[in-house]
Amino acid sequence: MAPMGIRLSPLGMAVFCLLGLGVLYHLYSGFLAGRFAFFMLSEPAAGGPEPPRGSAPAGAVDLRELLAVSVLAAVRGGQEVKRVREGNVLNAKAKGKTREGAEEQLTTGDLLSNRRMFYLLKGAFPAVQINSEERVDTDDQEAVSWDRSIPEDIKQKIQPKEVPAESVTVWIDPLDATQEYTEDLRQYVTTMVCVAVNGKPVIGVIHKPFSSYTAWAMVDGGSNVKARSSYNEKTPRIIVSRSHAGKVEQVARQTFGNKTVIIPAGGAGYKVLALLDVAEKNQEEADVYIHVTYIKKWDICAGNAVLRALGGHMTTLTGEEISYTGSDGNEGGLIASINMNHKALIEKLPDLEKTSHK
């Protein structure tokens, strides 16, 4: 007999058990449903949508995508440069002096172009190191988006290629030839982006804001620019900086003869384009580009990459390759050529190296 005289029938026991099961189901059904949903979301459903194709995995960078956004960055920076110049709102001021004692100018065009280029590249590839000529002020940060579209000419010529993000350094020059920019010598002005992988320049973009011409190239990939059909090695036309044309002219004439033509010009980007087949009425042509003093790497990295991609060379005056890691300056001067005997040119100009460290 049950305690207190209560008799439990088989039917009562069954009802009691059913009530208990109902309570347990109510308590745990939500928990189980949540776990099931988590499991389904964490596993790709058969026939469901795949991850976007062409996107590099975490920690990797697709160089084709980086080329596409580099071209866009150079163009958008160039738009700022052109807008400021045409509006005559340069607000030019001195930001210091070069080693040779020349005053360096800073304009609103430099700053606005730098902001637009830097944040576009940083937004697209946040894990990549970016070095710029101008300081990036976090107070001026702006959201500049990229829709990840790749221009058709790049799609046709360049295949996707992934590299570790930590191996990549991007060098940007938001306004090359600032001095000439302040003097309204617009033909010399460029905006440039360079991508170096393990210190070697592999992507170069040179954009001319006032004519909307853009040259780009990728080593072991392709380009939208090419070398000229011929170059003069015996009496080459040598393009040099306006600030020290006389110094190079004296040695060049001793080396190649009095018929050697010296072309003074502004901007490292302009000088590299002078070695190539560029259909621009304001673009001069040269056979060799020589610089005999200290120069910043953001001035020359893009041109170096373009020349490398086309089979040309840019080295120090002693023939050493220029590494685009570490310090932001190149101490050894430079000599650049394409479709010429670069080693022979270096051997003919031994005296110029002595002035490159001064």
Side-chain angles (χ1 to χ4, degrees), residues 97-102 104 293-294 329-331 356-358:
K97 290 188 176 183
T98 66
R99 290 189 179 184
E100 294 78 39
E104 288 190 293
T293 58
Y294 176 84
N330 172 51
E331 297 278 359
S356 65
H357 299 280
K358 293 181 179 179

Side-chain angles (χ1 to χ4, degrees), residues 176-353:
D176 189 36
T178 299
Q179 180 61 45
E180 287 73 20
Y181 182 65
T182 63
E183 298 173 22
D184 209 15
L185 299 173
R186 305 182 183 195
Q187 70 271 25
Y188 296 129
V189 176
T190 62
T191 57
M192 297 187 287
V193 181
C194 176
V195 177
V197 178
N198 295 321
K200 295 182 179 180
V202 298
I203 290 174
V205 179
I206 305 174
H207 175 68
K208 301 181 79 173
F210 297 101
S211 65
S212 299
Y213 173 82
T214 306
W216 59 260
M218 176 172 159
V219 175
D220 297 328
S223 68
N224 72 340
V225 65
K226 62 182 180 179
R228 297 201 309 271
S229 58
S230 63
Y231 295 84
N232 188 338
E233 294 195 50
K234 292 185 178 180
T235 54
R237 292 164 295 179
I238 301 176
I239 194 163
V240 301
S241 292
R242 295 168 70 216
S243 58
H244 57 258
K247 186 184 299 183
V248 179
E249 182 174 4
Q250 181 180 357
V251 177
R253 294 196 189 283
Q254 291 174 355
T255 304
F256 297 107
N258 291 330
K259 292 184 179 181
T260 300
V261 176
I262 302 297
I263 305 172
Y270 178 90
K271 297 183 189 78
V272 168
L273 292 179
L275 306 182
L276 306 176
D277 186 6
V278 176
E280 288 272 304
K281 64 178 182 179
N282 291 326
Q283 178 66 60
E284 297 166 284
E285 292 186 352
D287 302 301
V288 181
Y289 167 26
I290 294 175
H291 188 88
V292 299
T293 58
Y294 176 84
I295 191 169
K296 295 289 190 175
K297 290 179 181 178
W298 42 67
D299 290 321
I300 59 176
C301 186
N304 197 341
V306 170
L307 289 173
R308 281 190 70 218
L310 299 177
H313 303 275
M314 179 185 287
T315 66
T316 66
L317 294 171
T318 57
E320 298 173 355
E321 297 293 335
I322 301 168
S323 175
Y324 294 92
T325 56
S327 69
D328 60 12
N330 172 51
E331 297 278 359
L334 71 84
I335 179 168
S337 69
I338 186 168
N339 291 350
M340 297 179 71
N341 188 333
H342 192 76
K343 184 177 180 181
L345 287 172
I346 293 170
E347 291 172 350
K348 287 180 179 180
L349 300 169
D351 294 335
L352 287 179
E353 197 275 334

Side-chain angles (χ1 to χ4, degrees), residues 8 13 25 66 111 151 168 226 251 259 283 305:
L8 296 178
M13 288 291 294
Y25 174 79
L66 192 46
L111 297 175
V168 176
K226 62 182 180 179
V251 177
K259 292 184 179 181
Q283 178 66 60

Side-chain angles (χ1 to χ4, degrees), residues 32-104:
L32 292 173
R35 295 296 297 171
F36 178 74
F38 174 80
F39 173 78
M40 292 301 292
L41 289 172
S42 62
E43 294 293 330
E50 297 179 359
R53 293 185 178 182
S55 297
V61 171
D62 181 359
L63 291 180
R64 184 172 74 166
E65 290 187 347
L66 192 46
L67 168 60
V69 75
S70 295
V71 170
L72 183 60
V75 170
R76 288 193 177 175
Q79 291 170 349
E80 297 296 319
V81 168
K82 183 179 180 181
R83 182 175 64 84
V84 170
R85 178 66 267 184
E86 291 183 343
N88 199 28
V89 286
L90 276 67
N91 297 318
K93 59 182 179 181
K95 69 173 183 179
K97 290 188 176 183
T98 66
R99 290 189 179 184
E100 294 78 39
E103 195 172 77
E104 288 190 293

